[in-house]
Amino acid sequence: MIRHWCEALGDANPAYTGPDAIAPPTKFQVWTMSGLSGLAGRTQVYDELLALLDEAGCTSGVATDCEQDYLRPLRPGDEVTFDAVIESVSDQKRTKLGTG
């Protein structure tokens, strides 16, 4: 997947190839996203949070800000885990996607 990501973005950094390859930091957030079929292994608390937001009519996020800290580069075979915190929710806005 590292190779696919680098090819798609045109990133030819040699650190992302070969037997000692590391994963591009720009790829990390993508690995935490559930995709169209959901994400197995997500905690019940996180699912409950998303259910509460859904019930309140907040079924998607637009223009979110994401801050991340990395303790070390990831390498093939590493298991990725993450924690998410919603620090704030803005006032209702009107965008081309609708009001929310």
Side-chain angles (χ1 to χ4, degrees):
M1 293 313 299
I2 292 172
R3 181 178 53 81
H4 293 178
W5 179 261
C6 291
E7 286 177 3
L9 295 180
D11 190 340
N13 186 327
Y16 307 142
T17 62
D20 295 322
I22 61 171
T26 55
K27 178 75 172 133
F28 293 176
Q29 185 181 16
V30 174
W31 285 332
T32 67
M33 295 177 175
S34 62
L36 298 175
S37 61
L39 182 63
R42 197 164 54 193
T43 66
Q44 181 179 346
V45 173
Y46 194 77
D47 285 334
E48 290 170 3
L49 170 63
L50 295 180
L52 286 171
L53 290 170
D54 286 349
E55 289 171 18
C58 302
T59 57
S60 63
V62 178
T64 59
D65 182 22
C66 178
E67 294 180 24
Q68 299 179 354
D69 294 314
Y70 307 114
L71 303 178
R72 63 173 179 77
L74 288 180
R75 300 189 182 286
D78 286 347
E79 183 175 334
V80 178
T81 61
F82 74 99
D83 190 15
V85 175
I86 296 178
E87 293 180 336
S88 65
V89 177
S90 66
D91 292 333
Q92 191 174 55
K93 294 183 178 0
R94 184 167 177 76
T95 71
K96 289 188 178 191
L97 296 174
T99 301

